[in-house]
Amino acid sequence: MEKNILTGDRPTGRLHIGHYVGSLKRRVELQNKGDYDNFYIEIADAQALTDNYDNPGRVRENVLEVALDYLACGIDPKKVTIFIQSQVPSLCELTFYYMNLVTLARLERNPTIKEELKMRDFSSSIPTGFLTYPISQAADITGFDATIVPVGDDQLPMIEQTREIVRSFNNIYGETLYEPEAVLPDNSSCFRLVGTDGKAKMSKSLNNCIYLSDEPDVIKSKVMGMYTDPNHLKVEDPGRVEGNTVFTYLEVFAKPEHFKKYLEEYQNLDELKDHYRRGGLGDVKIKRFLNDVLQETLEPIRNRRKELASNIESVYKILEEGTKKANNHCERVLKRVKNAMGINYFDDSKFLEMQKEKFEKEN
Ligand code: TRP
């Protein structure tokens, strides 16, 4: 059996450093390990439309932004297939047949859907497309025989729904599909980064993100405006490190060589934390250090992004080729699914023979 990895993102905005530490870095690591037959990353524009159907321009524009972010972070199109969901029509067919296997009540119980409904104002009229997107996500995964799905924990209900569909399908139509496993981030290489305001999550609507494409002066002003310890008013005051956004970010981004380069008085983050706790270390100093660290980390990504953006045709080409490969793969799986269901009228000669006999007898 092939070992296929699939994951994806909704293209509703540029990607930020929360995406970088939460998923992109890990994808690059997985890519470089090379322990797979196929690795797909889906730009889930059709799924993004389920709650942006009235704003297709937003989705359309962000398909390229997200592709640029992937490539700038080091996703290598020679090793990973990046494709656009809406351009793989077999996914719709799979979705259509899976719909028979899922009840409305089951969809309404999905915790992620419930959470998302709370945040959107569909009020009592939920679009069918939105409620059923977990079924289409099951098509995304099974359409490529993916068994490994690297995602954040918010996606676990989607994987569970997929597994249920697979079991139900195999029960009714015979062993055809594979059950996927979610692979959650482990904390050493991956992290859910808080926003610059210390809120639980970076999110465009909260305006607390640092984007991979941000210019140096923008990064600097976002860092200098970050939340620290609200009781650390004067430099001499003892300060809290826990829940202090600047320290949270330093934990994720600061490496020993950064101390050597930008803050020689300290060997490492522990020494810096100790000083902050004792008092006598000002917020401006730790923010300047974080700014240096982030500038150094993001500069190569931003530069590579600009380089790629200056040749946008080549990015389009990558997406086009990836989508072609995705179509081939998904069409093969769809064929298997239709065979299992017996809706393969024109390439089932045995069935035709049987029908011939049946009608001959009847006559
Ligand atoms: N639902 C995912 C998100 O909102 C995006 C997505 C679509 C996805 N299809 C997928 C993730 C398949 C993993 C596998 O981020």
Side-chain angles (χ1 to χ4, degrees):
M1 198 189 113
E2 279 185 341
K3 190 165 175 182
N4 296 334
I5 307 176
L6 182 134
T7 187
D9 300 285
R10 295 182 198 174
T12 51
R14 293 182 173 197
L15 302 182
H16 49 62
I17 60 172
H19 293 115
Y20 180 65
V21 297
S23 64
L24 298 171
K25 246 173 81 179
R26 189 168 52 131
R27 291 178 191 175
V28 174
E29 281 164 21
L30 275 173
Q31 154 194 294
N32 293 337
K33 257 204 229 148
D35 182 22
Y36 54 82
D37 294 297
N38 295 288
F39 188 164
Y40 289 101
I41 301 184
E42 176 185 274
I43 302 181
D45 63 333
Q47 186 176 114
L49 282 169
T50 64
D51 64 338
N52 287 279
Y53 54 86
D54 53 351
N55 194 358
R58 175 180 177 203
V59 175
R60 182 186 164 94
E61 244 170 63
N62 282 309
V63 167
L64 268 180
E65 297 282 2
V66 167
L68 281 172
D69 286 326
Y70 289 160
L71 297 168
C73 284
I75 298 288
D76 177 355
K78 289 198 194 76
K79 297 177 180 156
V80 172
T81 306
I82 307 173
F83 71 95
I84 305 177
Q85 183 187 24
S86 64
Q87 303 308 299
V88 182
S90 316
L91 291 171
C92 300
E93 280 190 67
L94 288 175
T95 305
F96 190 66
Y97 299 122
Y98 295 169
M99 280 185 166
N100 299 328
L101 309 175
V102 183
T103 65
L104 210 47
R106 175 64 183 91
L107 291 168
E108 284 165 345
R109 267 203 319 274
N110 185 310
T112 306
I113 292 283
K114 275 181 163 170
E115 209 36 55
E116 287 177 329
L117 283 176
K118 254 190 253 165
M119 293 175 343
R120 290 166 178 73
D121 58 346
F122 293 140
S123 49
S124 60
S125 52
I126 307 164
T128 312
F130 185 79
L131 191 66
T132 54
Y133 91 69
I135 305 178
S136 120
Q137 190 158 335
D140 297 342
I141 295 167
T142 56
F144 300 91
D145 289 327
T147 48
I148 304 161
V149 187
V151 281
D153 55 4
D154 61 314
Q155 293 295 305
L156 286 177
M158 302 300 157
I159 311 297
E160 193 43 46
Q161 176 69 84
T162 305
R163 291 166 65 89
E164 283 176 33
I165 290 173
V166 168
R167 285 196 289 266
S168 170
F169 190 100
N170 290 347
N171 258 328
I172 300 168
Y173 306 111
E175 287 297 318
T176 310
L177 302 171
Y178 302 102
E179 277 188 50
E181 303 276 353
V183 182
L184 293 177
D186 67 71
N187 265 2
S188 59
S189 62
C190 248
F191 199 84
R192 174 166 295 175
L193 197 63
V194 296
T196 52
D197 55 359
K199 290 227 173 79
K201 205 178 158 188
M202 269 203 181
S203 124
K204 192 161 83 171
S205 51
L206 295 173
N207 198 18
N208 61 0
C209 308
I210 296 175
Y211 292 97
L212 293 170
S213 48
D214 276 348
E215 290 295 333
D217 54 326
V218 176
I219 298 171
K220 185 166 184 200
S221 83
K222 287 178 180 173
V223 170
M224 297 318 276
M226 263 179 163
Y227 285 42
T228 56
D229 171 4
N231 297 317
H232 184 246
L233 298 173
K234 287 190 261 116
V235 174
E236 348 31 300
D237 290 341
R240 264 181 74 87
V241 164
E242 291 72 27
N244 183 321
T245 315
V246 175
F247 279 100
T248 308
Y249 278 47
L250 285 174
E251 257 160 34
V252 178
F253 291 101
K255 300 197 189 106
E257 56 267 31
H258 292 136
F259 282 92
K260 266 197 213 96
K261 203 160 158 189
Y262 303 114
L263 208 61
E264 249 189 326
E265 320 91 279
Y266 307 90
Q267 294 278 326
N268 53 42
L269 191 57
D270 284 336
E271 282 187 23
L272 190 72
K273 283 180 177 173
D274 283 344
H275 192 182
Y276 194 80
R277 287 195 184 100
R278 276 199 311 275
L281 176 55
D283 281 351
V284 171
K285 189 157 175 179
I286 56 168
K287 284 179 175 174
R288 284 215 176 111
F289 177 51
L290 175 61
N291 178 53
D292 288 331
V293 170
L294 283 182
Q295 297 289 357
E296 185 175 322
T297 310
L298 297 177
E299 186 188 53
I301 297 175
R302 184 179 53 247
N303 288 346
R304 189 157 156 63
R305 202 182 190 283
K306 280 191 178 154
E307 207 182 296
L308 290 156
S310 72
N311 188 1
I312 208 69
E313 281 106 330
S314 71
V315 179
Y316 247 94
K317 196 103 207 115
I318 289 167
L319 293 178
E320 209 177 339
E321 273 166 21
T323 304
K324 205 181 275 171
K325 178 178 167 184
N327 266 307
N328 284 335
H329 198 151
C330 198
E331 277 163 22
R332 280 202 308 277
V333 175
L334 176 65
K335 199 160 188 171
R336 216 170 68 219
V337 161
K338 288 167 107 175
N339 280 344
M341 295 176 71
I343 47 173
N344 52 345
Y345 304 104
F346 300 129
D347 48 30
D348 187 354
S349 49
K350 245 175 41 206
F351 185 67
L352 180 62
E353 281 310 311
M354 274 162 56
Q355 296 300 296
K356 255 164 108 182
E357 266 173 46
K358 185 183 112 180
F359 286 111
E360 268 162 25
K361 248 185 241 155
E362 275 178 16
N363 286 333

